[in-house]
Amino acid sequence: VPLRTLLFVSEAMAFGPFVRIMAQITMVAGGAIGRAVMEAYKEAAAGRGAAAAAAQKMARRRMSLDEARKVLDAEGAGVTAEKVEERFQTLHALNAPSEDFSGSPYLQARIAAAHKVLLSHLSKADGQASEKAGEKAGEKAKPPPEE
């Protein structure tokens, strides 16, 4: 056996324990990291922990009425459900994926949220207006109190 081969084998043997130790450290660290990731996922899925709190806070965040009006460009006194629906359809279609444009899911989500906020506000406003009209009509229909 040539001397050169013996030197190469002895050098390889010197690295053998080092490589084995590095592999063991990597396996232990990888296992610990994997367990930590799984634990964090379980906490988030169960609604506990910091990640879950942040996710719930973002989910609860509601678009303000002013922000919704700006998104749909529906500012002013003459805002109707028809105008809101028209603006929604137009802006949603402009941000949809097409041959020329990959689309913007973020903007579509913002437009949909603004649409929902404005329609709920308009329905509440209509409900309050009809209640007030009903109260005024009821007051006129009531006979005067007897003494």
Side-chain angles (χ1 to χ4, degrees):
V1 180
L3 181 61
R4 188 171 211 163
T5 305
L6 288 175
L7 287 176
F8 177 72
V9 170
S10 66
E11 287 176 8
M13 291 173 66
F15 285 116
F18 178 72
V19 171
R20 188 181 72 236
I21 292 169
M22 289 302 296
Q24 288 174 344
I25 290 172
T26 304
M27 295 294 283
V28 170
I33 291 171
R35 283 189 297 276
V37 167
M38 286 304 295
E39 185 67 28
Y41 173 76
K42 287 177 185 176
E43 284 184 7
R48 300 185 309 260
Q56 288 173 354
K57 183 178 180 184
M58 288 303 291
R60 281 189 307 236
R61 183 181 175 272
R62 182 175 162 92
M63 183 179 285
S64 71
L65 183 59
D66 290 336
E67 187 178 6
R69 285 182 175 150
K70 288 177 184 176
V71 167
L72 290 181
D73 193 29
E75 297 184 46
V79 178
T80 63
E82 291 80 24
K83 182 178 178 183
V84 169
E85 192 65 36
E86 177 187 336
R87 291 296 297 158
F88 168 74
Q89 294 296 333
T90 302
L91 293 174
H92 201 268
L94 286 173
N95 289 291
S98 66
E99 294 175 3
D100 303 332
F101 179 57
S102 62
S104 177
Y106 171 76
L107 288 177
Q108 282 188 318
R110 301 267 303 166
I111 292 165
H115 177 248
K116 183 178 177 182
V117 168
L118 281 175
L119 288 182
S120 69
H121 173 73
L122 288 173
S123 68
K124 285 179 186 175
D126 288 345
Q128 289 175 352
S130 64
E131 283 179 16
K132 287 182 182 178
E135 287 175 5
K136 287 183 181 180
E139 288 175 3
K140 291 179 183 177
K142 287 182 186 177
E146 295 180 17
E147 295 181 23

